[in-house]
Amino acid sequence: MRLFVRLISIPAALGFVTPMVVQAGGEKHKDHHDHHGSHMNMGDSYPSTMFMGKTTFILGGVDGVSDSGMGGMGGMGGMSTADEKDGTVFHYDTKLMFMTSFTGQDMLKTAVRVGNFGMMEPFGMMGEARLDSAFSSSDSLALHKAYYQFPVGDDIQVTFGPKLRQDDLLGVWPSAYTSDGVLFVLNQAGASDTYSKKMGAGAGITWSNEKLVASALFVSEDASISSIGFLADEGKDHITTQLAWVDERYTLAAAFTQSDNGRTDNSPDINDYSSFAISGSYQFGDDYSLSGGLGWKNPENDDSPDTSMNKVEDGNTWSIGFLWNNALIEGNKFGFGIGTAETHRDDSGYDDPLAWEAFYDFKVSDSVTVTPAIFVIEKDGKEEVNGALVKTTFNF
């Protein structure tokens, strides 16, 4: 954190001295239905394969996280003996994506990925300030996604595969807030329990009729384990249904998720729940969009008695995201997001969890973007986490 006054100023200078690629109009919100339903259009002969890649550098750090991963000692301050994780770190994430079409209307997607985010590090996938671009593979190349999509008639799209993420199966992503944001928790359409983005094997079907889009899907985290299998009582399975209305200026979606963590003894489990979400976005002209969402969570079995120390109980989430395309300079972008840092519980003495972020994209070229960002995360019983970073993204 000691370097960040200087770090944040570097891309600011670059943005004003580097020529920008001029783009006409604003960056329209593209929902998953458009992406999934589009033809590959990669040539006249099939099979045909298209390759895409993306590498992200993250230089940054946080204050307020200890090596225990518990975000300090709450109100005990200096009484903690844990080492603080406040050093400046340099992470990377690389994704290589291959999209093959056999007919011109279907798609086989294979993605491999490598990254050096430590799982329990502040920016890691189980860290106190998990980033949307975090991937933990210990510098080893790993299969990230493998799934196949094909149409059935004009209105139905089917997707299935042994390795995918929940949002790969949705007909619509109900938010215009950036798909390449900063904090993971603020990129879940305001409903982190309903849109959990769980990974595993799965399948889904999407039906669309003009502006109305409906999806049903499941994701099984244990499908590759022969002693459990998918959709088994002992398995971690997630079933989601979604109904959305997609207009030129706005998107509105309702979704329901039933999440089963594989517990068979009916004891309270924070990951055994049903949840409901309402999310949407609105485009103001070509350059401005506002997205928001609300989520409600109901555990299968609550903690008893209901005390402030018990966490398995009803909760809710929300978030709001604002995007300004062509902010100050043509091609650049400003974003601000705010929402719950974790599922909120209605307990006496419980501090409301809150997270917010602000970032500015400097478009150096069509393929390179530099993004300085700041964020704050507040959770009950934990020290406030303050962070800053500079993200450099290379698309190829």
Side-chain angles (χ1 to χ4, degrees), residues 9-281:
S9 66
I10 292 173
L14 286 173
F16 285 99
V17 300
T18 306
M20 297 296 161
V21 177
V22 176
Q23 290 183 331
E27 185 177 85
K28 298 283 188 179
H29 168 45
K30 298 295 185 184
D31 60 73
H32 278 213
H33 171 59
D34 288 339
H35 170 70
H36 290 179
S38 61
H39 294 183
M40 293 296 290
N41 193 26
M42 293 183 293
D44 296 328
S45 60
Y46 299 97
S48 182
T49 300
M50 179 173 65
F51 165 77
M52 296 175 63
K54 179 180 178 180
T55 291
T56 304
F57 293 164
I58 299 287
L59 179 63
V62 301
D63 286 330
V65 179
S66 71
D67 62 2
S68 65
M70 298 300 292
M73 295 291 291
M76 299 180 70
M79 294 182 66
S80 173
T81 59
D83 293 332
E84 294 296 320
K85 293 187 173 183
D86 58 356
T88 301
V89 296
F90 202 165
H91 293 304
Y92 78 92
D93 170 46
T94 293
K95 289 182 281 190
L96 305 176
M97 295 162 281
F98 303 87
M99 288 152 285
T100 299
S101 179
F102 301 93
T103 66
Q105 296 183 339
D106 61 344
M107 181 180 72
L108 172 66
K109 182 171 182 177
T110 305
V112 292
R113 194 171 180 181
V114 59
N116 70 339
F117 289 80
M119 187 70 73
M120 298 301 297
E121 286 295 306
F123 290 155
M125 297 175 71
M126 296 182 67
E128 289 294 317
R130 178 182 177 179
L131 299 185
D132 198 49
S133 53
F135 186 70
S136 305
S137 71
S138 302
D139 295 316
S140 298
L141 196 64
L143 180 67
H144 180 52
K145 292 182 181 181
Y147 62 85
Y148 180 61
Q149 296 176 333
F150 63 93
V152 178
D154 295 329
D155 302 329
I156 296 176
Q157 186 87 29
V158 176
T159 305
F160 70 96
K163 199 157 191 180
L164 43 72
R165 201 169 74 169
Q166 179 203 40
D167 51 329
D168 294 318
L169 299 168
L170 290 170
V172 171
W173 183 248
S175 175
Y177 193 60
T178 180
S179 60
D180 188 23
V182 182
L183 295 175
F184 180 81
V185 72
L186 294 178
N187 200 13
Q188 293 178 277
S192 55
D193 300 304
T194 304
Y195 294 115
S196 60
K197 297 185 177 180
K198 295 292 186 181
M199 292 202 68
I205 184 170
T206 293
W207 170 85
S208 61
N209 186 353
E210 296 183 352
K211 299 179 180 181
L212 186 63
V213 184
S215 298
L217 62 95
F218 76 88
V219 175
S220 176
E221 296 185 61
D222 297 321
S224 63
I225 302 174
S226 60
S227 60
I228 300 177
F230 68 90
L231 297 180
D233 289 341
E234 299 83 5
K236 298 179 179 68
D237 303 308
H238 315 275
I239 299 173
T240 300
T241 56
Q242 183 195 63
L243 184 65
W245 184 268
V246 182
D247 199 77
E248 182 178 356
R249 289 291 184 188
Y250 68 89
T251 296
L252 184 64
F256 175 82
T257 291
Q258 184 72 45
S259 185
D260 179 5
N261 202 40
R263 191 178 293 275
T264 58
D265 59 3
N266 292 323
S267 60
D269 188 325
I270 198 169
N271 293 312
D272 274 337
Y273 64 84
S274 59
S275 61
F276 180 72
I278 298 178
S279 307
S281 65

Side-chain angles (χ1 to χ4, degrees), residues 327-345:
L328 304 179
I329 297 176
E330 191 84 14
N332 291 0
K333 180 169 61 179
F334 170 78
F336 177 80
I338 187 169
T340 45
E342 63 182 0
T343 303
H344 177 274
R345 309 191 310 273

